Amino acid sequence: MLLDDHVRFEYLGNTPSPDVPIYTIIFLSTVVNSLIFYLLPSKLTPSLKTYVISTIHAIICVCGVINFFVRYSVNLKQINRTAGGGIYGTGDEIMAYNICYSLGYFIYDILLMLFCKSVRTTAALAHHIIILLAFYAGIINGICHPCHFYLLAEELSTIPLNLKALYHNRPRLDGIFGYLFVFSFLVSRLIYGSIICGYALCAGLEFFQMAFNADDLTSITFGLIQGSLGFLTRVLNIYWTVLIVREVLRPSEPKNKSL
């Protein structure tokens, strides 16, 4: 059933704009990230190269979300937010651009993990596949699309984690970045991420009601898929939290006394 665009805007918003070249941006992002990997100095191991590229991606994502919130914090009262989390009448292409860039990054990283065992971990591969599916479904169908953009700020914890790995040979910096990682993970992924997911859940109830009233079964289906994928990301965050707590609470090995 084809629905009037205005009816769908009531619960989906109008992002992404039809004018955004989604597939072109995703392709270019994949190519550029791959080129950066191969152009980085050969003296760096594949793992170190991935840390550098991941840090660049994280910085761009966090800055993009911060810029968005700063831009609209002054005019929040003038923005008509829809039940689906979209923004009606504003054409926020910045969301689509950032998500498409991230999709290209995740495609590059998944391909790298598939072909390079040294950079592959089961948890990271599962996380990237889940994010890739969720982001793609969101950008194509508009379901929970803005919340995906907001969640990109969770990449804040990735920055100190990567810097810790890059400077593991310098104990002082390694320790500083280690503490920053634990703090940023707590703030960005457990607190901030949970708030965004809670917002998506509350908005989702109204979204499903409006989509059901409009007989939009496609949006309902993709909404349920998005909810399931979002739940899996929270499970992964809890899993990583357990690992972090175990690492922090692990007793340090006693130094061998000189004879």
Side-chain angles (χ1 to χ4, degrees), residues 151-193:
L151 285 173
L152 287 175
E154 285 190 321
E155 289 294 311
L156 176 66
S157 64
T158 301
I159 300 173
L161 178 63
N162 290 340
L163 293 176
K164 175 178 169 60
L166 290 169
Y167 292 98
H168 69 280
N169 290 327
R170 302 178 65 175
R172 185 175 180 181
L173 289 177
D174 180 76
I176 292 174
F177 290 132
Y179 287 119
L180 286 176
F181 165 66
V182 173
F183 175 75
S184 61
F185 186 93
L186 173 65
V187 172
S188 65
R189 295 191 182 267
L190 291 185
I191 298 178
Y192 169 81

Side-chain angles (χ1 to χ4, degrees), residues 17 33 42 54 62 78 81 98 122-123 133 140-142 149-150 156 160 167 171 192 203 212 216 225 234:
S17 167
N33 280 293
S42 57
S54 174
V62 173
Q78 301 177 12
R81 295 186 178 277
N98 215 326
T122 302
L133 293 174
I140 295 301
N141 298 281
F149 172 73
Y150 302 150
L156 176 66
Y167 292 98
Y192 169 81
F212 180 79
D216 187 1
I225 294 174
R234 297 308 99 190

Side-chain angles (χ1 to χ4, degrees), residues 17-36:
S17 167
D19 299 329
V20 177
I22 293 173
Y23 290 106
T24 300
I25 299 174
I26 294 174
F27 174 75
L28 290 176
S29 175
T30 304
V31 171
V32 170
N33 280 293
S34 300
L35 284 175
I36 294 175

Side-chain angles (χ1 to χ4, degrees), residues 75-124:
N75 301 313
L76 283 178
K77 293 182 179 179
Q78 301 177 12
I79 297 176
N80 177 25
R81 295 186 178 277
T82 66
I87 299 180
Y88 180 81
T90 61
D92 292 306
E93 285 79 8
I94 185 176
M95 290 184 177
Y97 294 148
N98 215 326
I99 292 176
C100 288
Y101 160 68
S102 291
L103 276 169
Y105 164 78
F106 285 121
I107 291 174
Y108 135 80
D109 211 29
I110 288 175
L111 291 175
L112 183 63
M113 283 190 283
L114 291 176
F115 290 102
C116 188
K117 291 183 179 181
S118 63
V119 302
R120 182 170 67 230
T121 64
T122 302

Side-chain angles (χ1 to χ4, degrees), residues 61-82:
C61 289
V62 173
C63 289
V65 177
I66 291 176
N67 174 64
F68 175 85
F69 282 130
V70 170
R71 280 171 51 206
Y72 287 110
S73 62
V74 180
N75 301 313
L76 283 178
K77 293 182 179 179
Q78 301 177 12
I79 297 176
N80 177 25
R81 295 186 178 277
T82 66

